[in-house]
């Protein structure tokens, strides 16, 4: 079985984190997010993955190479200009030999791919889309369907009075190869806005596969933080190293290799410390994600925040809930990074 994982987006909503790191390489519990995705595909029997990349592709290639270490065959296809979510599929057509999965590279889900494949085979449709229910669908692409699962309409970001379903497109598709014939070549094409609405007008139906799995799109800072906390707490089942036994942390926490926490620091619950982080005495860290090499000096506090690699948080500084601090920043001693701040401010 083959899969295409879309990894070309600029990840603008995750800035400043994505200034230095493309979204697929953003870490989840000590591993690039995409590594978790690829391991999941491998465990489901997928052995060949095509990666249409565009933004900072070298970082992805350098880490994963030809995929041999993960037991996968990986092919990279670099777009000079972003081709959009369907244009990117058309551009890798030459690798695809039969029905194939497509994954948005920023979705974390417990979806059972084998069960989805079985339903797709039984339906005989041109494609199957994973749907999940959400409380407020107004920020998503909503998908209307018949009782037999046949998709009848797509409604992008409906106004509250336009909502007819709370089932949304969850970013995992299983498509027949002939779908690629319907995508125009050489230009930017959106699968959500152009290709899927065209497909439902055709002879072969497009089906929904609706489940109530764990599902989150890590493309926004608050979701990325939540994905880390949910994985730490076990709400999202994921094969990860067990919780750390580091004496000075309150579980659940993930403490990366060579990270050091002073016995008089207060770390956790709900904290991810990357490799080589240093946390000094009387520092407090709670419900936060720190990437590799972050230094937290004496008496500093970090709560509900995301701190990229090699940041130094000065003595008695305070980083408040929802803040995101970009790579290599220096937070001066005693300063306060206010709630939801971005450091530096995105250009
Ligand atoms: P934002 O800028 O924050 O919206 O993020 P994004 O650019 O990643 O866009 P979005 O989250 O809508 O993208 C969904 C998925 O499609 C992600 O996995 C992206 O990497 C991928 N993607 C989006 N646009 C392109 C594109 O033009 N080419 C390729 N190859 N992938 C894309």
């Amino acid at each position: 079985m083959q899969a295409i994982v879309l990894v070309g987006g600029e990840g603008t909503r995750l800035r400043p984190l994505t200034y230095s790191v493309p979204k697929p390489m953003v870490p989840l519990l000590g591993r690039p997010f995409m590594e978790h995705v690829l391991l999941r595909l491998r465990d489901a029997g997928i052995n060949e993955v095509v990666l249409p990349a565009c933004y900072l592709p070298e970082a992805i290639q350098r880490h994963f190479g030809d995929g041999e270490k993960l037991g996968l065959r990986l092919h990279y296809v670099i777009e000079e200009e972003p081709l959009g979510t369907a244009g990117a599929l058309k551009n890798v057509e030459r690798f695809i030999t039969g029905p194939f999965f497509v994954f948005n590279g920023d979705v974390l889900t417990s979806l059972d791919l084998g069960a989805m494949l079985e339903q797709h085979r039984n339906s005989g449709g041109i494609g199957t889309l994973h749907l999940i229910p959400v409380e407020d669908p107004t920020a998503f692409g909503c998908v209307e369907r018949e009782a037999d699962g046949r998709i009848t309409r797509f409604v992008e970001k409906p106004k509250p009075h336009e909502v007819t379903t709370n089932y949304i497109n969850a970013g995992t598709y299983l498509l027949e190869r002939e779908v690629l014939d319907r995508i125009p070549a050489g230009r930017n094409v959106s699968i959500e806005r152009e290709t899927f609405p065209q497909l439902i007008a055709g002879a072969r139906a497009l089906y929904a596969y609706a489940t109530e799995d764990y599902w989150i799109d890590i493309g926004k800072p608050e979701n990325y933080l939540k994905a880390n906390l949910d994985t730490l707490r076990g709400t999202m089942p994921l094969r990860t190293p067990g919780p750390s036994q580091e004496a000075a942390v309150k579980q659940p926490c993930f403490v990366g290799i060579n990270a050091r926490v002073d016995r008089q620091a207060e770390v956790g619950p709900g904290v991810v410390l990357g490799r080589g982080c240093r946390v000094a005495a009387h520092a407090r860290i709670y419900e936060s994600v720190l990437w590799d090499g972050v230094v937290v000096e004496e008496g500093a506090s970090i709560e509900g925040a995301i701190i990229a690699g090699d940041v130094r948080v000065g003595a008695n500084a305070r980083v408040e809930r929802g803040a995101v601090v970009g790579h290599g920043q220096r937070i001066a001693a005693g300063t306060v990074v206010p709630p939801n701040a971005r450091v530096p401010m995105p250009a």
Side-chain angles (χ1 to χ4, degrees):
M1 190 79 195
Q2 295 177 304
I4 301 174
V5 183
L6 293 165
V7 293
E10 268 195 73
T12 52
R13 291 165 300 159
L14 269 189
R15 288 176 181 168
L17 300 173
T18 43
Y19 283 137
S20 52
V21 173
K23 192 161 51 171
M25 298 305 290
V26 161
L28 177 70
L29 268 55
R31 275 185 183 169
F33 179 75
M34 205 178 80
E35 197 164 314
H36 296 285
V37 173
L38 292 176
L39 288 172
R40 195 174 131 251
L41 305 197
R42 186 197 63 191
D43 292 350
I46 291 166
N47 52 16
E48 190 175 10
V49 181
V50 186
L51 299 165
C54 187
Y55 177 70
L56 301 178
E58 312 78 27
I60 305 172
Q61 283 175 297
R62 217 180 306 124
H63 184 84
F64 293 104
D66 62 5
E68 203 190 334
K69 278 195 209 126
L70 296 180
L72 288 167
R73 256 193 305 153
L74 301 181
H75 308 283
Y76 303 87
V77 179
I78 316 292
E79 294 156 32
E80 275 171 27
E81 292 292 324
L83 288 171
T85 44
L89 305 186
K90 182 71 178 176
N91 195 43
V92 303
E93 193 174 22
R94 63 188 180 280
F95 289 102
I96 302 301
T97 54
F100 57 101
F101 272 105
V102 178
F103 300 91
N104 274 357
D106 47 10
V107 165
L108 181 64
T109 176
S110 57
L111 169 67
D112 176 347
L113 299 174
M116 180 165 165
L117 177 60
E118 195 181 322
Q119 189 204 283
H120 176 73
R121 286 195 172 132
N122 292 337
S123 74
I126 194 166
T128 301
L129 275 57
H130 179 218
L131 309 189
I132 54 127
V134 294
E135 232 161 74
D136 175 13
T138 56
F140 296 96
C142 295
V143 184
E144 293 178 8
R145 66 194 201 278
E146 304 277 5
D148 67 355
R150 193 178 286 249
I151 294 174
T152 52
R153 195 161 82 108
F154 293 91
V155 186
E156 197 60 33
K157 298 190 180 133
K159 302 251 162 31
H161 68 274
E162 294 168 342
V163 170
T164 52
T165 173
N166 64 337
Y167 278 84
I168 63 154
N169 173 355
T172 302
Y173 321 126
L174 184 42
L175 304 175
E176 292 296 316
R177 196 182 184 287
E178 65 177 272
V179 168
L180 298 173
D181 301 336
R182 318 284 175 87
I183 304 172
R187 69 167 171 90
N188 190 300
V189 186
S190 158
I191 200 163
E192 300 88 349
R193 284 188 291 277
E194 205 171 321
T195 310
F196 286 151
Q198 275 170 14
L199 285 178
I200 54 173
R204 274 181 89 182
L206 197 56
Y207 283 93
Y209 180 65
T211 74
E212 296 194 0
D213 278 287
Y214 180 90
W215 181 90
I216 198 165
D217 157 8
I218 64 144
K220 294 193 288 188
E222 58 271 35
N223 288 5
Y224 168 64
L225 182 58
K226 186 171 187 311
N228 276 274
L229 299 179
D230 287 346
T231 312
L232 275 179
R233 292 172 183 143
T235 318
M236 165 64 202
L238 197 64
R239 271 195 304 142
T240 53
S244 138
Q245 297 308 310
E246 181 89 21
V249 305
K250 286 196 201 117
Q251 301 295 348
C253 276
F254 173 88
V255 179
I257 297 166
N258 293 332
R260 269 197 255 131
V261 178
D262 188 282
R263 291 201 163 270
Q264 289 181 300
E266 234 180 85
V267 172
V271 171
V272 176
L273 294 182
R275 280 168 183 259
C277 284
R278 299 272 179 275
V279 182
H282 310 296
R284 285 186 54 245
I285 309 178
Y286 175 63
E287 291 192 342
S288 295
V289 176
L290 280 60
W291 293 9
D292 295 348
V294 174
V295 176
V296 183
E297 294 181 348
E298 200 161 318
S301 81
I302 301 171
E303 182 168 336
I306 304 164
I307 314 285
D310 300 322
V311 167
R312 180 174 284 268
V313 180
N316 300 312
R318 234 170 53 220
V319 183
E320 302 211 327
R321 195 160 278 280
V324 183
V325 180
H327 183 266
Q329 296 292 308
R330 297 283 177 266
I331 307 297
T335 51
V336 176
V337 177
N340 301 315
R342 301 287 178 265
V343 183
M345 286 287 290

